[in-house]
């Protein structure tokens, strides 16, 4: 599954276009490698996403095309969240 689609379906980022912009700015890494919006995700991958002053590390548990809002959090598990001083 594409990175931008996963971020939208999992509701980590609300819109796919926003997910694409964040990825294109180099603010997302998959297993330590800077990712593009079109990067392919696999089960077990580790994402590090930079939201402003915050770094969120997430592990991909499942890949599904569509999920209900209350099931979205089952697609990933948050490993850690940390503040970044720019």
């Amino acid at each position: 599954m594409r990175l931008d689609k996963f971020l939208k379906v999992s509701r980590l980022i609300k819109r796919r276009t926003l997910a694409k912009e964040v990825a294109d700015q180099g603010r997302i890494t998959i297993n330590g490698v800077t990712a593009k919006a079109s990067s392919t995700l696999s089960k077990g991958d580790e994402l590090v996403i930079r939201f402003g002053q915050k770094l969120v590390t997430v592990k991909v548990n499942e890949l599904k095309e569509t999920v209900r809002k209350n099931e979205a959090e089952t697609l990933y598990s948050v490993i850690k969240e940390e503040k970044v001083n720019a």
Side-chain angles (χ1 to χ4, degrees), residues 2 5 10 12 15-17 23-24 27 36-38 40 43 48 51-52 58-60 68 71 78 82-84:
R2 285 176 54 114
K5 179 154 186 178
S10 67
L12 283 166
R15 291 183 306 278
R16 191 165 174 179
T17 52
D24 290 344
R27 293 168 38 195
K36 295 181 181 177
S38 60
T40 305
K43 205 172 174 179
V48 178
F51 294 108
V58 171
K59 183 177 180 193
V60 178
R68 292 191 174 135
E71 297 171 356
V78 176
E82 54 189 324
K83 286 201 175 223
V84 176

Side-chain angles (χ1 to χ4, degrees), residues 26-86:
R27 293 168 38 195
I28 303 176
T29 61
I30 301 174
N31 299 325
V33 179
T34 304
K36 295 181 181 177
S38 60
S39 299
T40 305
L41 277 181
S42 305
K43 205 172 174 179
D45 282 349
E46 194 171 285
L47 303 176
V48 178
I49 308 166
R50 182 174 178 161
F51 294 108
Q53 300 300 312
K54 192 165 68 167
L55 273 180
V56 180
T57 306
V58 171
K59 183 177 180 193
V60 178
N61 295 333
E62 280 185 79
L63 298 172
K64 289 185 180 178
E65 293 294 316
T66 56
V67 289
R68 292 191 174 135
K69 189 175 184 178
N70 57 356
E71 297 171 356
E73 286 188 13
T74 64
L75 297 180
Y76 65 92
S77 49
V78 176
I79 297 171
K80 66 181 174 180
E81 287 186 41
E82 54 189 324
K83 286 201 175 223
V84 176
N85 296 326

Side-chain angles (χ1 to χ4, degrees), residues 1-17:
M1 177 183 282
R2 285 176 54 114
L3 173 62
D4 56 350
K5 179 154 186 178
F6 175 78
L7 292 172
K8 178 193 172 289
V9 170
S10 67
R11 292 172 172 79
L12 283 166
I13 297 179
K14 289 189 188 235
R15 291 183 306 278
R16 191 165 174 179
T17 52

